[in-house]
Every structure is written in structure tokens, then in C-alpha cells.
Amino acid sequence: MAPVKNADSQVVNEGENDETATQEERKRYVKGTYTDRVKMNQLQNLLHDALIATEHVQNCVIIRRKDASLRASSVGFNLYQDQIQKFIDAFKDPPRTREEGIYFDNNNYKCVRADKNSIYAKCDKIGLVMVKTQTLLILGTYNENMYPSVCVEAVENLADYFKQKGK
């Protein structure tokens, strides 16, 4: 049984086009993988339109806090599971996070702000902004050619959008 690939050369469902695929496998594809891919694509478009398009957010991700899963990310920006968990844990003890900072991408970031909803950290002229909603964590990074205040505003505005939606 040969894997079926979509236009992005990703395996869609190994049994989908095969005559031996069961009805149950097809239902699972429609309910699970396909739906998740559509949602992730919508979230990635939202990340691009709300954050990357400002030209003051270098990279960004949306993380579901409940299971520490990556829901969407900007192109080429990948996080390891232990790093995702560290970002989530940073909100559990903001004073400690403020004191110790955040280690990310081979840099030790000094916290500029750390409270129950937002964490801003910088290392020289680069930085990161994390905002927590009811179910999500949104992270954006900026570099030396970007305005930190615009990055903060964009990430906070996207978080407000999700908060209004109850997410």
C-alpha cells in the first residue's frame, strides 16, 4: 500500500485511495487528520496575517497549553517539546521567571515583564513575547531590525482576539 501525498508531499492517509481501505479508515481521515490540517492551516494564516505581516514579528507559534501541543507556527520555526513545556511552566511562577529569565535558542533572555498573562524577555537587541489565553500560549520573537513595542502590540492583540473567542 503506497502512501498518499498531498500537494505539499505530506502523507495524507495511507489507505485513503486504496480499494482495501475500510469505511472506518475513511471516516477517521475526514474527522481527524483532514480537520486538524484545515484548522492548523487557518491558524497559520492567522499567524501570518496578524503577526508576520506587521514585519515586526520574526517568528511565532500558537501552543495549546492543555497538552503542550504546537497548533501552528510560522514557516521554518520549530520548537522542541521540552522548550514548549518550559514556556508553559514560565507562567506558573512569574516572580521566579522574572528573576531567572528564559533560556531559548542558545540565549539567556532577561525578563522585562512577567505576570500571570504576559512574559516579555530580551537578550541584547532580540527578544520574545509570550501571552497566555484561557487555552493557548502565543509566542512571537523579534530581532534587532524590529520594534519590540510593535511585536508586543501584535501578539497581545492576537491574544485578545482568542480571549474574546473564549480560547
Side-chain angles (χ1 to χ4, degrees), residues 45-138:
N45 289 340
L46 185 59
L47 277 178
H48 183 270
D49 294 345
L51 301 180
I52 300 297
T54 66
E55 297 183 0
H56 290 279
V57 177
Q58 182 178 19
N59 294 301
C60 49
V61 295
I62 295 176
I63 299 165
R64 185 170 50 200
R65 293 179 24 233
K66 175 175 68 173
D67 58 1
S69 67
L70 188 71
R71 302 307 298 156
S73 67
S74 56
V75 177
F77 188 58
N78 299 310
L79 295 174
Y80 293 106
Q81 193 62 40
D82 63 331
Q83 187 64 59
I84 290 172
Q85 193 60 53
K86 284 181 185 178
F87 289 147
I88 292 169
D89 292 345
F91 284 95
K92 292 179 180 172
D93 191 359
R96 182 177 175 192
T97 300
R98 196 177 309 113
E99 184 180 310
E100 294 179 3
I102 297 172
Y103 187 78
F104 170 64
D105 202 22
N106 296 323
N107 290 308
N108 199 13
Y109 288 76
K110 178 185 174 195
C111 269
V112 178
R113 173 183 178 168
D115 60 36
K116 64 180 184 164
N117 296 313
S118 302
I119 296 174
Y120 308 160
K122 68 177 188 171
C123 177
D124 295 323
K125 295 185 178 191
I126 60 173
L128 60 90
V129 177
M130 294 188 289
V131 182
K132 182 176 84 166
T133 69
Q134 186 177 341
T135 61
L136 303 172
L137 174 65
I138 302 162

Side-chain angles (χ1 to χ4, degrees), residues 145-157:
N145 298 319
M146 300 174 173
Y147 292 116
S149 60
V150 178
C151 181
V152 165
E153 182 180 12
V155 174
E156 290 280 2
N157 285 343

